[in-house]
Amino acid sequence: MTTRNTTSTHYDVIVVGAGHAGCEAAAAAAHLGCRVLLATMNLQTIAQMSCNPAMGGVAKGQILREIDALGGYSGIVTDETMLQFRMLNRSKGPAMWSPRAQSDRMRFAETWRLKLESLPTLHFWQDRVEALHIEGRRVTGIRTATGHSFFATTVVLTNGTFLNGVLHTGRVNYSGGRAGEAAATGITEQLRAHGFETGRMKTGTPPRIDGRSIDYSQLEVQPGDTPAGRFSFTDTPPLTRQLPCYIGYTNPMVHAILGEGFADSPMFSGRIQGTGPRYCPSIEDKVVRFAERERHQLFVEPEGWQTIEVYLNGFSTSLPAEVQQRALEAIPGFAGARMFRPGYAIEYDYFPPHQLRLTLETQPLENLYFAGQINGTTGYEEAAAQGLMAGLNAGLRALGREPVVLGRDQAYIGVLIDDLITKGTDEPYRMFTSRAEHRILLRQDNADLRLTELGHQAGLVTEDRYARYQAKVAALTALDQALDAVDLAPEAVNGQLALLGTAPIAQKTKARTLLARPQVTLPDLAALHPTLAQALTTSGPEVAEQLEIQVKYAGYIAKEAELVAKMRRLEDTPLPEAFDYERLTSLSNEARTKLARIKPTSIGQASRISGVSPSDISVLLVHLGR
């Protein structure tokens, strides 16, 4: 009797790696109807939160809402597994509001896996990918360590920190992609032979603590928002019960103990060659860089509803374990702290992202896409965003359809990808609101209005999601029309306006005009007029908040829209990929070199390349007949 191999070897898209980038990439391609293979070294660590058990934060929360608006899963999974929700920067303008959630680490990974398993065209394979099949300048598949080959039209690499990864704790170092998991070898060397540039980066993680050994009475309580918000624009279940986080602080004694281990630190001794994240430094780096500070803030974060494991955010370190233990014991509240495992640093390969197209396809090889830390980024949200776009474009390529590229005025995701490719990065890239020049347009509240239509056209947004979006647009329109339809008389509103601390009116005034005042809210006006009260009840709080932001910031939004229109003219002026910059002797030497290396697709992108001056742009425009 003979047996038949029931495992298919031919797919539309193969995704290598099942972290946050890989999960979104595989789901996106599957939603398009592609046959997808997700290859990972360990099926038990799909969507593992390797670092802190949290999603969102400043600018990262905006990215997460954009992923959801486009049809991704990260927002839904976060809502279904979070322990606590907070909207950061509420004291600032709405462009800065950033949602953040504390997650249940184990439930997060489990929920992601079940979401992926529900997609009928998505298949799984557990193995280490050690090489790509390459024909000429085109990638055609993968080969695994156990000798299996799989073939596809497109391949997406989302290897995270696993490419030639090395873990460091004090003077101890060993090969690995994450604590307890092997590194991946072979791919870097193969791609380097095909003309790719590579580099080394590093990141780190703090020790995990037994929560029963912490004296929480010596820490500050950090509760969640009430009521809790959510990330997804779908009808995810509301969070009715939350776990608190806590805040602690280091002190001079902690810093002195940490200093005793600097001689054994892989960072200070030079054993780590890779560049670490500027905006999430290790505790030893903070002690040295900010020597004038007597204390540094620590966030004590629960890892789940049932587990006793606690994450000590702000105490990332690669010092010897015994130094970590003694330093911990000097922190108020941690005198009896027991470590589950010490912190460590990890060094890994990445590929400088100027080698990518804006679709996240690589320039040296066709049909190969990169997403996540392989491109030099740090953070779950940045990885997931790249994964979504790489999976979408890999799937569209496999189906013979046009790719999708988001502009800087459309999404933080567009800013992220454009920054990576146009400006490059030699340190782990992290998104901030300050990186987005059009952030008043790219708020977390309007991500669905910006992107859901596009996601539906591409094939990522389901009909149920799209119907919900259309209902929201209708409710927003109705509430907006109610504002225009209502005139409020002085005798009806001046008493309330006085209570709110704002000037009275002398004649009938549009409700919209009054809502533009900082002191006046939609509920305030609804209490004064039945039409507004009815419209507000029908629309709900999410729509009301969005309209209120639009009205109060209408002037700023209009000015930003004008600026975007002007910039669009540069973005719409294409540059041929095969453009020969060397023959334009009027360009500066630096501009010729960088333009030839990055191969910008438009004048707008060229203008953002470091070293390309306004005079260089003028030369290009003249040459193009503009």
Side-chain angles (χ1 to χ4, degrees):
M1 179 179 177
T2 60
T3 59
R4 185 170 63 89
N5 182 5
T6 57
T7 301
S8 173
T9 59
H10 291 82
Y11 293 86
D12 296 313
V13 180
I14 294 174
V15 177
V16 179
H20 300 265
C23 287
E24 286 288 5
H31 272 300
L32 295 179
C34 294
R35 296 185 70 255
V36 182
L37 178 69
L38 179 59
T40 177
M41 290 197 290
N42 189 350
L43 287 170
Q44 306 310 311
T45 56
I46 286 177
Q48 179 80 285
M49 301 182 104
S50 306
C51 202
N52 62 318
M55 295 292 283
V58 176
K60 294 169 176 282
Q62 282 87 331
I63 288 176
L64 211 57
R65 298 215 90 195
E66 291 176 352
I67 291 171
D68 186 78
L70 285 166
Y73 277 131
S74 290
I76 294 174
V77 173
T78 300
D79 285 353
E80 292 181 358
T81 61
M82 63 182 169
L83 311 169
Q84 186 196 88
F85 179 93
R86 295 175 63 226
M87 184 67 77
L88 307 182
N89 288 337
R90 271 287 190 183
S91 62
K92 300 178 181 179
M96 304 294 286
W97 297 352
S98 303
R100 184 185 189 274
Q102 203 66 34
S103 298
D104 185 308
R105 183 188 298 276
M106 290 183 285
R107 289 186 181 181
F108 184 93
E110 177 190 33
T111 302
W112 243 120
R113 174 165 175 168
L114 294 178
K115 298 289 185 192
L116 294 175
E117 289 183 0
S118 72
L119 301 174
T121 62
L122 175 56
H123 301 178
F124 302 83
W125 186 256
Q126 179 172 292
D127 208 342
R128 177 171 62 82
V129 175
E130 65 177 14
L132 301 170
H133 286 290
I134 301 173
E135 297 179 6
R137 305 302 296 172
R138 192 175 79 251
V139 172
T140 60
I142 61 171
R143 186 179 75 245
T144 71
T146 58
H148 288 81
S149 285
F150 299 93
F151 299 92
T153 305
T154 55
V155 174
V156 183
L157 294 186
T158 67
N159 300 78
T161 60
F162 282 77
L163 292 178
N164 293 321
V166 177
L167 277 60
H168 298 264
T169 302
R171 293 187 177 274
V172 177
N173 65 79
Y174 54 93
S175 174
R178 185 164 50 205
E181 298 183 58
T185 58
I187 291 178
T188 297
E189 294 73 17
Q190 183 188 24
L191 292 180
R192 194 180 289 136
H194 279 81
F196 281 83
E197 295 178 36
T198 64
R200 296 285 277 177
M201 282 190 176
K202 80 120 186 154
T203 188
T205 191
R208 308 305 201 270
I209 312 297
D210 184 338
R212 298 170 300 184
S213 66
I214 299 173
D215 181 0
Y216 290 99
S217 67
Q218 297 189 52
L219 305 175
E220 299 174 14
V221 180
Q222 188 180 48
D225 291 351
T226 304
R230 55 188 174 192
F231 285 92
S232 182
F233 293 98
T234 64
D235 193 21
T236 51
L239 184 63
T240 57
R241 181 170 68 95
Q242 302 188 61
L243 283 181
C245 295
Y246 296 85
I247 297 175
Y249 296 92
T250 63
N251 54 50
M253 182 180 294
V254 175
H255 301 170
I257 295 170
L258 291 170
E260 294 175 15
F262 285 176
D264 295 320
S265 165
M267 179 177 67
F268 293 119
S269 66
R271 288 193 301 280
I272 287 182
Q273 300 298 319
T275 306
R278 176 193 304 262
Y279 302 104
C280 189
S282 64
I283 185 64
E284 53 263 38
D285 197 19
K286 285 190 282 190
V287 168
V288 172
R289 284 168 53 186
F290 307 106
E292 73 283 0
R293 295 189 184 179
E294 293 192 348
R295 67 177 191 173
H296 294 282
Q297 195 172 50
L298 304 172
F299 297 92
V300 185
E301 302 174 343
E303 298 228 348
W305 288 108
Q306 275 80 43
T307 183
I308 57 173
E309 189 171 357
V310 169
Y311 182 91
L312 190 57
N313 196 346
F315 204 80
S316 176
T317 180
S318 58
L319 293 174
E322 63 273 15
V323 175
Q324 295 185 35
Q325 181 66 49
R326 288 195 294 116
L328 279 174
E329 291 170 354
I331 299 171
F334 287 79
R338 291 189 298 272
M339 283 196 296
F340 277 2
R341 54 189 168 99
Y344 63 88
I346 180 168
E347 228 184 338
Y348 55 93
D349 291 340
Y350 85 105
F351 292 78
H354 67 79
Q355 302 169 98
L356 300 175
R357 295 183 171 90
L358 290 172
T359 60
L360 295 181
E361 183 183 20
T362 68
Q363 292 186 27
L365 291 175
E366 293 180 14
N367 297 349
L368 177 64
Y369 296 75
F370 287 173
Q373 285 176 287
I374 193 172
N375 290 335
T377 61
T378 180
Y380 306 144
E381 303 80 4
E382 290 88 342
Q386 293 171 73
L388 179 81
M389 298 308 296
L392 169 62
N393 284 321
L396 292 172
R397 165 66 72 88
L399 297 174
R401 296 171 55 192
E402 289 298 309
V404 173
V405 173
L406 296 175
R408 298 180 69 91
D409 59 311
Q410 288 179 287
Y412 272 88
I413 298 174
V415 175
L416 164 66
I417 294 173
D418 184 68
D419 272 0
L420 289 174
I421 296 167
T422 305
K423 300 177 181 178
T425 185
D426 55 6
E427 62 183 55
Y429 178 100
R430 177 181 178 179
M431 178 55 71
F432 289 100
T433 52
S434 58
R435 296 190 190 272
E437 62 270 33
H438 305 302
R439 56 186 173 273
I440 189 67
L441 303 179
L442 308 183
R443 307 182 310 275
Q444 58 83 31
D445 64 278
N446 70 352
D448 55 341
L449 299 184
R450 291 184 277 119
L451 298 171
T452 298
E453 188 71 50
L454 186 153
H456 184 251
Q457 292 173 2
L460 295 184
V461 173
T462 64
E463 292 304 322
D464 286 345
R465 278 196 185 209
Y466 191 57
R468 183 177 178 85
Y469 160 74
Q470 288 179 309
K472 177 181 176 180
V473 172
L476 187 62
T477 300
L479 186 56
D480 191 47
Q481 291 173 345
L483 268 184
D484 280 334
V486 171
D487 293 312
L488 295 167
E491 60 272 18
V493 300
N494 279 346
Q496 181 65 19
L497 294 179
L499 292 174
L500 296 173
T502 184
I505 58 176
Q507 59 189 18
K508 276 192 172 184
T509 304
K510 290 284 186 186
R512 179 185 299 278
T513 303
L514 290 175
L515 184 58
R517 297 185 179 189
Q519 304 89 343
V520 180
T521 67
L522 260 174
D524 292 332
L525 297 179
L528 300 172
H529 200 284
T531 299
L532 289 177
Q534 177 61 41
L536 185 60
T537 300
T538 303
S539 66
E542 182 181 314
V543 170
E545 180 181 77
Q546 192 162 96
L547 181 59
E548 191 167 316
I549 291 170
Q550 290 178 4
V551 171
K552 290 186 185 301
Y553 293 86
Y556 297 102
I557 293 171
K559 288 180 181 179
E560 199 63 47
E562 289 179 14
L563 180 60
V564 166
K566 292 178 182 177
M567 292 301 298
R568 269 288 165 193
R569 289 196 285 273
L570 294 179
E571 300 297 337
D572 292 339
T573 304
L575 282 167
E577 185 175 345
F579 196 98
D580 185 5
Y581 295 99
E582 290 299 327
R583 65 189 176 90
L584 291 185
T585 56
S586 298
L587 291 173
S588 67
N589 289 332
E590 183 179 7
R592 283 202 300 273
T593 300
K594 291 189 173 179
L595 289 166
R597 184 179 68 168
I598 296 172
K599 298 182 178 68
T601 60
S602 71
I603 290 291
Q605 186 186 2
S607 71
R608 293 189 292 275
I609 297 174
S610 174
V612 176
S613 68
S615 62
D616 293 320
I617 296 300
S618 296
V619 170
L620 291 175
L621 287 171
V622 169
H623 181 79
L624 293 171
R626 301 300 179 96

